[in-house]
Amino acid sequence: MKFNLRKTIAYSSRILLVFFMVINPMLLLADDPGTPCDGSDPLDNNCPLDSWVIYMVILVLILTAIHLLKKQLRSSL
């Protein structure tokens, strides 16, 4: 399998763009650190998840998609 730098850069820039589009609303709506479940969540949840949990879930989803894509490409060869 030949390494193509242009395709790799294009693919990784797409992944980063999607990642930043997903993370941006969370960063904009981030709550000030205070007492937990203080009712100031903009989405009206009783006790929202910490932002690091959401980041980890998104990271795992992205890594899973990359793994499945690579597995599909390997099986098609």
Side-chain angles (χ1 to χ4, degrees), residues 49-59:
L49 289 173
D50 290 333
S51 57
W52 66 270
V53 174
I54 297 170
Y55 295 149
M56 292 299 288
V57 168
I58 291 171
L59 180 66

Side-chain angles (χ1 to χ4, degrees), residues 22-33:
V22 169
I23 290 296
N24 193 31
M26 284 184 270
L27 293 176
L28 291 175
L29 297 174
D31 192 15
D32 290 333

Side-chain angles (χ1 to χ4, degrees), residues 33-48:
T35 58
C37 304
D38 59 356
S40 64
D41 186 48
L43 301 177
D44 271 344
N45 291 337
N46 291 334
C47 191

